Amino acid sequence: METLVDKGLVKHIGVANFPVMLLHDMLSYARIPPSVNQVEIHPYNQQSELLAYCKSRNITVQAYSPLGTPGYKEDGEPNVLSDPVLKEIADARRISVAQLCIVWSLQRGCHVVAKSSDKRHMEENLEVSVVSAVDGNYGHRFASMALTEDGDGANGAESSSSLVLSEDEM
């Protein structure tokens, strides 16, 4: 991969599913460090140590499956989208659990890839307008969400398809 960068065929190197130990090993000999590590991250799989490690080494974390993996779970296993605590928090903000999970990942500094083949879900995922807010009831940071395109979203936020946080919003 480093040769491809040297030849100008790619600009950056990315890895997927690298835990801290593999990243640490790779960084001990790599001439060009990876710029991104794509890993599964959602409220049931938080990967806090990995996020901290990547942040300390300037490696972007791309979160895939931010809504969990309901299609790959065994009977009786919990489901992120039907979690009662997440539903209570989302309902209090008049947003969906999916939007809450996307905002949660963004506020942790991740770039988010939310897969959907349903047009309505895709549009809902893009309605996330990130505005940092402290949640007084739960002690967690969440974002205000835009719920409509006409600016009538929660907390008066305007609708946006931007899924990027600035450093001062984190």
Side-chain angles (χ1 to χ4, degrees):
M1 294 301 293
E2 291 175 327
T3 303
L4 295 174
V5 174
D6 294 339
K7 291 180 178 180
L9 298 174
V10 297
K11 291 183 179 182
H12 303 282
I13 297 171
V15 295
N17 300 314
F18 270 46
V20 170
M21 186 172 57
L22 283 178
L23 280 173
H24 191 73
D25 179 59
M26 180 183 184
L27 292 173
S28 72
Y29 58 80
R31 187 171 44 85
I32 301 172
S35 61
V36 66
N37 186 14
Q38 184 185 59
V39 295
E40 181 179 353
I41 293 181
H42 50 75
Y44 289 177
N45 188 17
Q46 298 184 14
Q47 306 229 39
S48 297
E49 181 184 348
L50 178 62
L51 283 173
Y53 185 87
C54 287
K55 184 175 183 175
S56 73
R57 281 146 182 88
N58 203 30
I59 299 171
T60 298
V61 174
Q62 185 178 51
Y64 71 82
S65 295
L67 312 179
T69 52
Y72 298 101
K73 70 177 198 67
E74 300 288 327
D75 288 339
E77 286 184 345
N79 180 333
V80 171
L81 295 177
S82 60
D83 182 281
V85 173
L86 296 176
K87 181 150 179 39
E88 180 183 345
I89 295 169
D91 286 349
R93 287 161 181 72
R94 297 178 308 179
I95 61 174
S96 70
V97 173
Q99 288 174 319
L100 182 71
C101 290
I102 290 170
V103 169
W104 175 81
S105 292
L106 289 170
Q107 288 189 331
R108 297 178 81 222
C110 297
H111 292 232
V112 179
V113 177
K115 177 187 155 204
S116 179
S117 57
D118 182 306
K119 183 179 180 187
R120 184 177 56 84
H121 289 152
M122 287 184 231
E123 290 170 349
E124 179 183 279
N125 294 343
L126 288 174
E127 288 175 354
V128 177
S129 176
V130 182
V131 178
S132 210
V134 175
D135 178 80
N137 297 327
Y138 300 96
H140 301 292
R141 284 185 48 184
F142 289 101
S144 299
M145 307 289 290
L147 299 177
T148 64
E149 292 184 12
D150 61 7
D152 289 336
N155 299 325
E158 291 186 8
S159 181
S160 170
S161 61
S162 174
L163 298 178
V164 180
L165 281 176
S166 67
E167 248 342 276
D168 60 331
E169 290 177 311
M170 297 183 42

